[in-house]
Amino acid sequence: MRFHKAAVLSIIQSAAAFSSYTPTSFQHSASLLSSSKQNPKQTRLMCGLIAAIDDVWSSGTGGESSEIPILQNELLLEQTTDILYHRGPDGMTCYSGNVGDARYAMGHTRLAIVDPENRAADMPFQLEFDEKKIKLAANGEIYNHLSIYDELKADGWKHDRISGSDCEVIAHSFAKYGGPATAAKLDGMFAFVVFEESSDGVKAFAARDPVGIKPLYLGKALDGKGDKASGYVFASELKALVNHVVPETVKAIPAGHYWSPEEGLVCYYNPDWLRKDDFAPWDSKDTPQVTDEQLKDSFDASIRKRMMSDVDYGFFLSGGVDSACVAHSLLPMYRDAKLEESKISGEPMTPIPTFTVGMENSPDVMAAKAVVEDLGGSKYIDHKIRYFTPDEVFDTIPKIIYHMETYEAELIRSSIPNWFLAEHAAKDVKMVLTGEGSDELFAGYLYFQDAENKIQVQNELRRIYGMLGNINLHRTDRMTMAHGLEARVPFLDTEFTRLAMSIDPQRKVVDPVAVKNNARGREKTLLRELFEEPNANGDSLPRPVLWRAKAMQCEGVGEDWVSILQNKVRSLVSDEDYARAPELFPLNTPQTKEEFYYRRIFAENFPGMDHVVTPWEGGGRAMGAAWKSDMYTREGLKNVDMLTHSLQETTKKTSSSTVLAANRCDEKKKGPSYGFSGGANTINNDGLSRRDMTAFVSSSADTTTTTSTTAEIMEIESVTSTTSTSESYIEEVKSGAAIFGYDEFEQMLCTGGDDRSLIDSTTGANKYHIRPFPISQDEIFRG
């Protein structure tokens, strides 16, 4: 039986019902089990994947004897699918019935990006190919669907497609080549479930893309009495499995794996660079080496295939190097495509929307503005900025944990700005391109500077690549799809990844001295150098952005709201409750009150599913590396005092304004030296000019410029009141910078805008382990 509804009014009414939830009110399925007599016409348009089938493969089991509510109750199926409404507002279809001897149920909610107006493109697909009947529910985008159709035709396939949906090809390929071969053929991001009936019997098959961009979970069904039943249930998100499955049986289908009842989980994605420890083509004289030109061409091809869309799209622009590289390649292609459309339609070209999140006047926001300006300005780019404040952060935590379905603290922190960003972008577009994944290919994290050799670098990249589906991509999918927005990740194209991981890792080794001095040899130098030249439009990335330091997502958007958040959640966990952590949460026991707070919310929403979460070994990305790194703890930086925001009230810390208050230049002796210790610029061996200090401060009491040694500077605790406000600090620094001729952008970079300006008096460095130096007057950037 099929259900397909488009009740917009019902969406509004239902959404209102969810608007005032508490962390414990998301137990939807339990109430649905007792609501089978509600009006089945009250449905909404939404997006996601749910599927269930009797276990007719295990010995002694068989369909009709098992009471599995979702297989028996059509309204329950529809309402369970409804739980995933946030994954897209364009349509919902549910089917239930029999496939051979097994009962099955499938629900799919669609975010229509390809062939959006064609209702035949709505899933689940029910297709018949001669003696084979295919039921398919899929989530994602298949970029090579046309080439697979060509291959099918060449192999004698006679069946026509019924829609323009790129996912329909999965059903055709499955019927022709089978499940494992189909999963291996697909180029894209995907998670799908297929049920097939044929003369050979009933088949069930599920698969997930090679990197884990799209999620898929599996569990053993519960019967109406709460006992284990003989059936399987699949879903895009854990929330749709609650009260439908035995919690301890739930598992995430890993990236690059397929599942069948006969074989269980099988890895089908096995490139040599990922699976072979002795992979080292750079050491072979007989193996052609990957060139920079090949790498850049492959990235452009990756961008081009991800422009596949029949609706408007945009891109995320964080202000960091990764998203700037995406913009560098994307904009010429987008401009060419829109100019062709404009010639045909006679309408003016539409600028591409781009989206940034951050604190007002933060370095990230200012850097993103600079990228927009240098790559074409408002004529070609419609830049939209979502500003947020620390006050907004705390209230989002329950929603974020519900949608993220994790208790991993580092991941939750980084999800907060992504929530605001996706929410803002979804108002204008259905799809965005992002810069996710670059750090896992080019050694972009600062702890790589402690690696002892290139083999360690290569192996660590393989390790963190393998966690992408649990961490970075998990965040990307959940935060965007929570708002009905699809994110595409060109850096993680499988061919581009193969090339990037076949390059001699010596080119990815991070030089600690270069990191401290903001010089070549710092993290991701290889990537930065690929994008130094102008793009096809003749536009170049601003050097201050191209060569700025890596900042974690939760730290690079502005003020140090993370420490504010951590202090707040700690206050909500009593010592008595925290002491019970080992008893309450024996698996992955929380090690901090912050972790305990997140874990408690997770457990209220996803009882018994703690094991599904895959946290970082040791509590953070850096802690699992083969080498020892003293940079980070579970809460972030090891020296937690450095997490305090330099723009807030100062205590006994030395801020860069304090340093520079004792470090004014004597212009009469040295001429204009732009406020840096020592006056003269120095030149690094890479030819980049560097100065010794960056922040500026003016003094109404003393306008005479003086100089001090670095040692003398670092002993100064403060030259301002311990109760000075962030506003007065900002104005002091900006005024001082203006005196030396810096424009507004450069002045703002000098203020810091986040905890990068807080200097450790013992090292002269900030929490990113770099001194916050610009490299020259014309090439200012922040660490």
Side-chain angles (χ1 to χ4, degrees):
M1 184 174 293
R2 179 188 185 189
F3 297 87
H4 177 245
K5 307 288 194 292
V8 176
L9 178 60
S10 179
I11 293 177
I12 298 171
Q13 293 170 338
S14 299
F18 286 106
S19 64
S20 59
Y21 64 83
T22 64
T24 58
S25 67
F26 281 121
Q27 308 289 332
H28 302 316
S29 298
S31 63
L32 297 181
L33 289 172
S34 61
S35 62
S36 61
K37 294 184 179 180
Q38 296 178 13
N39 183 353
K41 293 184 179 180
Q42 293 181 353
T43 116
R44 297 179 290 174
L45 306 174
M46 51 210 84
C47 179
L49 180 161
I50 183 82
I53 192 167
D54 283 315
D55 180 4
V56 295
W57 300 274
S58 300
S59 175
T61 64
E64 299 297 335
S65 61
S66 296
E67 294 185 4
I68 302 176
I70 199 170
L71 293 177
Q72 298 170 301
N73 189 324
E74 293 165 349
L75 176 59
L76 180 59
L77 168 63
E78 192 172 350
Q79 291 173 321
T80 302
T81 309
D82 182 86
I83 292 173
L84 301 174
Y85 78 96
H86 52 276
R87 293 187 71 88
D90 299 326
M92 181 179 83
T93 306
C94 297
Y95 285 107
S96 61
N98 287 80
V99 51
D101 296 331
R103 296 168 301 172
Y104 85 96
M106 272 188 174
H108 187 272
T109 56
R110 184 184 180 202
L111 179 63
I113 293 177
V114 176
D115 199 14
E117 303 301 325
N118 185 358
R119 296 269 61 95
D122 290 342
M123 285 183 273
F125 285 119
Q126 296 214 102
L127 301 174
E128 293 190 23
F129 306 117
D130 300 326
E131 81 284 358
K132 293 184 178 181
K133 297 179 180 179
I134 300 288
K135 324 292 183 186
L136 165 68
N139 174 217
E141 302 291 340
I142 310 301
Y143 304 124
N144 67 333
H145 65 286
L146 294 179
S147 64
I148 295 177
Y149 278 124
D150 290 340
E151 181 181 352
L152 283 162
K153 185 177 180 180
D155 288 342
W157 189 248
K158 303 297 185 182
H159 301 277
D160 294 329
R161 55 197 300 191
I162 65 170
S163 73
S165 168
D166 52 292
C167 288
E168 185 188 335
V169 76
I170 298 173
H172 292 256
S173 180
F174 190 94
K176 175 67 175 177
Y177 302 116
T182 293
K185 289 178 184 293
L186 301 179
D187 178 9
M189 53 181 188
F190 57 84
F192 69 84
V193 177
V194 170
F195 301 146
E196 179 192 86
E197 176 185 354
S198 72
S199 58
D200 295 329
V202 178
K203 292 181 181 178
F205 187 89
R208 193 175 175 200
D209 66 69
V211 201
I213 304 170
K214 287 299 168 186
L216 188 59
Y217 296 94
L218 163 67
K220 290 291 287 185
L222 279 171
D223 66 15
K225 300 177 183 179
D227 298 322
K228 185 175 180 180
S230 55
Y232 299 101
V233 186
F234 307 81
S236 297
E237 298 184 8
L238 287 177
K239 56 184 66 64
L241 294 181
V242 173
N243 293 314
H244 286 301
V245 297
V246 180
E248 56 266 27
T249 68
V250 176
K251 62 184 74 174
I253 294 180
H257 283 66
Y258 68 78
W259 173 93
S260 68
E262 297 88 355
E263 296 181 273
L265 288 171
V266 177
C267 182
Y268 70 85
Y269 181 63
N270 295 292
D272 289 349
W273 68 263
L274 184 60
R275 306 300 180 198
K276 293 185 177 181
D277 292 338
D278 60 352
F279 177 77
W282 48 84
D283 289 336
S284 172
K285 296 180 180 180
D286 299 326
T287 302
Q289 300 301 297
V290 176
T291 67
D292 288 359
E293 183 179 6
Q294 283 179 296
L295 199 58
K296 185 63 170 57
D297 287 346
S298 180
F299 187 71
D300 288 346
S302 175
I303 292 279
R304 190 174 294 107
K305 73 172 68 170
R306 282 158 182 81
M307 294 170 65
M308 181 183 78
S309 175
D310 294 327
V311 298
D312 290 336
Y313 61 90
F315 65 97
F316 285 166
L317 185 62
S318 68
V321 62
D322 305 330
S323 61
C325 292
V326 172
H328 183 278
S329 288
L330 170 64
L331 284 166
M333 302 181 209
Y334 180 89
R335 193 185 302 185
D336 288 345
K338 288 299 179 180
L339 284 174
E340 287 299 317
E341 291 180 14
S342 181
K343 290 178 183 178
I344 296 172
S345 67
E347 299 293 328
M349 192 191 86
T350 305
I352 188 169
T354 186
F355 307 93
T356 300
V357 65
M359 314 296 286
E360 191 160 6
N361 292 325
S362 70
D364 280 7
V365 169
M366 300 302 288
K369 289 181 177 179
V371 172
V372 169
E373 185 63 28
D374 282 18
L375 293 186
S378 58
K379 180 178 180 181
Y380 300 108
I381 306 171
D382 182 12
H383 192 199
K384 302 172 186 289
I385 302 172
R386 169 56 160 98
Y387 295 107
F388 75 93
T389 67
D391 293 336
E392 293 181 82
V393 168
F394 182 73
D395 291 339
T396 67
I397 296 298
K399 290 186 289 187
I400 285 174
I401 293 176
Y402 172 70
H403 282 285
M404 280 294 296
E405 302 179 335
T406 188
Y407 49 79
E408 212 278 331
E410 182 178 278
L411 186 56
I412 291 169
R413 291 184 217 119
S414 66
S415 298
I416 294 171
N418 281 262
W419 172 275
F420 295 129
L421 179 62
E423 180 183 49
H424 191 56
K427 298 174 183 177
D428 295 296
V429 296
K430 288 186 176 182
M431 184 269 282
V432 291
L433 275 68
T434 82
E436 200 69 70
S438 164
D439 296 313
E440 284 69 25
L441 303 181
F442 295 98
Y445 298 105
L446 288 174
Y447 73 92
F448 272 90
Q449 67 182 281
D450 295 323
E452 298 172 5
N453 54 61
K454 70 179 185 179
I455 300 303
Q456 282 192 343
V457 170
Q458 181 78 357
N459 288 337
E460 178 65 3
L461 291 176
R462 293 166 64 201
R463 183 184 76 90
I464 62 177
Y465 176 93
M467 283 287 284
L468 277 168
N470 301 316
I471 306 292
N472 307 54
L473 297 176
H474 184 103
R475 176 188 61 227
T476 299
D477 175 83
R478 302 312 170 79
M479 292 298 91
T480 54
M481 294 305 286
H483 301 286
L485 181 70
E486 179 178 280
R488 300 181 181 178
V489 285
F491 275 112
L492 295 175
D493 179 85
T494 52
E495 175 59 14
F496 178 76
T497 297
R498 183 188 68 81
L499 293 174
M501 293 300 290
S502 299
I503 290 175
D504 189 343
Q506 185 62 45
R507 297 187 64 189
K508 303 175 186 178
V509 170
V510 180
D511 178 4
V513 176
V515 172
K516 291 180 180 179
N517 295 334
N518 288 335
R520 293 182 192 273
R522 66 171 313 123
E523 78 284 354
K524 289 191 290 195
T525 289
L526 168 59
L527 177 67
R528 299 173 199 269
E529 291 177 341
L530 284 177
F531 288 89
E532 280 190 307
E533 298 301 318
N535 64 14
N537 291 333
D539 299 324
S540 299
L541 292 172
R543 289 185 62 80
V545 176
L546 184 61
W547 287 95
R548 70 180 302 197
K550 167 69 182 177
M552 302 293 283
Q553 294 213 22
C554 58
E555 299 167 332
V557 293
E559 292 186 36
D560 187 21
W561 54 268
V562 172
S563 62
I564 300 172
L565 169 66
Q566 290 173 327
N567 289 332
K568 174 70 173 177
V569 299
R570 287 188 197 113
S571 70
L572 297 175
V573 177
S574 68
D575 291 340
E576 293 76 14
D577 284 347
Y578 182 57
R580 296 183 61 210
E583 171 194 348
L584 295 172
F585 309 114
L587 178 67
N588 299 325
T589 303
Q591 301 297 305
T592 68
K593 285 189 173 182
E594 180 194 14
E595 292 180 10
F596 184 95
Y597 178 77
Y598 300 152
R599 184 63 166 274
R600 187 163 58 189
I601 297 175
F602 176 90
E604 290 170 345
N605 288 283
F606 309 103
M609 297 186 182
D610 304 55
H611 65 282
V612 183
V613 176
T614 306
W616 285 110
E617 179 184 348
R621 179 183 282 104
M623 273 66 89
W627 60 87
K628 187 178 186 302
S629 176
D630 294 328
M631 287 189 175
Y632 303 100
T633 69
R634 301 178 75 97
E635 295 185 277
L637 188 69
K638 184 174 182 180
N639 181 0
V640 295
D641 286 342
M642 295 175 69
L643 290 173
T644 303
H645 194 293
S646 64
L647 302 189
Q648 296 177 307
E649 295 179 357
T650 59
T651 54
K652 291 184 178 181
K653 303 175 184 66
T654 306
S655 74
S656 51
S657 62
T658 301
V659 173
L660 266 299
N663 189 45
R664 300 190 186 95
C665 298
D666 185 345
E667 294 186 58
K668 293 181 180 179
K669 293 182 179 180
K670 298 181 174 63
S673 60
Y674 307 101
F676 291 87
S677 172
N681 298 337
T682 59
I683 303 297
N684 295 321
N685 58 12
D686 59 5
L688 298 179
S689 176
R690 176 174 65 80
R691 298 199 200 93
D692 289 338
M693 304 299 287
T694 58
F696 300 82
V697 64
S698 61
S699 170
S700 58
D702 181 12
T703 57
T704 305
T705 57
T706 60
T707 61
S708 297
T709 68
T710 301
E712 292 169 337
I713 293 166
M714 293 305 176
E715 292 179 1
I716 299 175
E717 291 287 348
S718 178
V719 295
T720 60
S721 167
T722 58
T723 59
S724 62
T725 65
S726 61
E727 289 80 6
S728 63
Y729 169 85
I730 291 174
E731 291 308 314
E732 281 185 312
V733 175
K734 290 176 67 175
S735 297
I739 292 173
F740 295 102
Y742 283 79
D743 62 27
E744 183 177 358
F745 175 56
E746 294 165 338
Q747 293 170 32
M748 189 54 59
L749 293 180
C750 292
T751 69
D754 59 18
D755 54 340
R756 302 174 201 189
S757 294
L758 195 64
I759 305 301
D760 182 348
S761 61
T762 61
T763 65
N766 58 20
K767 65 180 290 184
Y768 300 94
H769 284 241
I770 57 174
R771 290 178 287 179
F773 299 162
I775 52 179
S776 75
Q777 180 182 1
D778 299 322
E779 298 172 326
I780 303 297
F781 70 95
R782 293 290 302 176

